[in-house]
Amino acid sequence: MPVTTYRTDVAASRTDVAASYFESYSVVGLLAVVGVLFVAVAFGASRLLRPVVPTPEKLLTYECGVDPVGEGWAHTQVRYYVYAFLYVIFAVDSIFLFPWATVFAAPGYGAATLVEMFIFLGFLAVGLLYAYKKGVLTWA
């Protein structure tokens, strides 16, 4: 008899855990639905309340109050994208350093994580050296 009671208690506690687990996700789901409805209502109200008066001036490209001259296509220097890409690479590097520092401080992981970080920084240094040799880092 006690074994049956124990198994019944375990099954009941598992259903309680599952119920509380899904209740926590139901709150997240409800908030997601409320958020989507809020955005939908805002867009719908905007569409209903805005004035619709099409004029040829509204179809022109806006350039700070100056009448547009020439075509809309313009050449953009690639170097700006290269600088942005290099910034992203080093921003990701700095984000990677924070979790590394917490693992490095944990007992028993010091030497392994130190070697891993030097390998990672070596790859970044090789990439930076390559960019420097290619002349990417010169502003001209």
Side-chain angles (χ1 to χ4, degrees), residues 58-76:
K58 288 184 179 180
L59 299 176
L60 290 176
T61 304
Y62 181 73
E63 294 183 8
C64 300
V66 179
D67 291 333
V69 177
E71 296 192 21
W73 294 97
H75 293 285
T76 305

Side-chain angles (χ1 to χ4, degrees), residues 95-116:
I95 290 172
F96 183 69
L97 286 172
F98 290 111
W100 172 79
T102 58
V103 171
F104 182 71
Y109 290 103
T113 55
L114 187 64
V115 170
E116 289 173 0

Side-chain angles (χ1 to χ4, degrees), residues 68-122:
V69 177
E71 296 192 21
W73 294 97
H75 293 285
T76 305
Q77 296 291 332
V78 175
R79 78 182 111 197
Y80 301 123
Y81 295 108
V82 172
Y83 281 109
F85 186 66
L86 287 172
Y87 170 76
V88 167
I89 288 172
F90 288 105
V92 169
D93 173 40
S94 64
I95 290 172
F96 183 69
L97 286 172
F98 290 111
W100 172 79
T102 58
V103 171
F104 182 71
Y109 290 103
T113 55
L114 187 64
V115 170
E116 289 173 0
M117 184 50 66
F118 276 120
I119 291 171
F120 179 71
L121 291 176

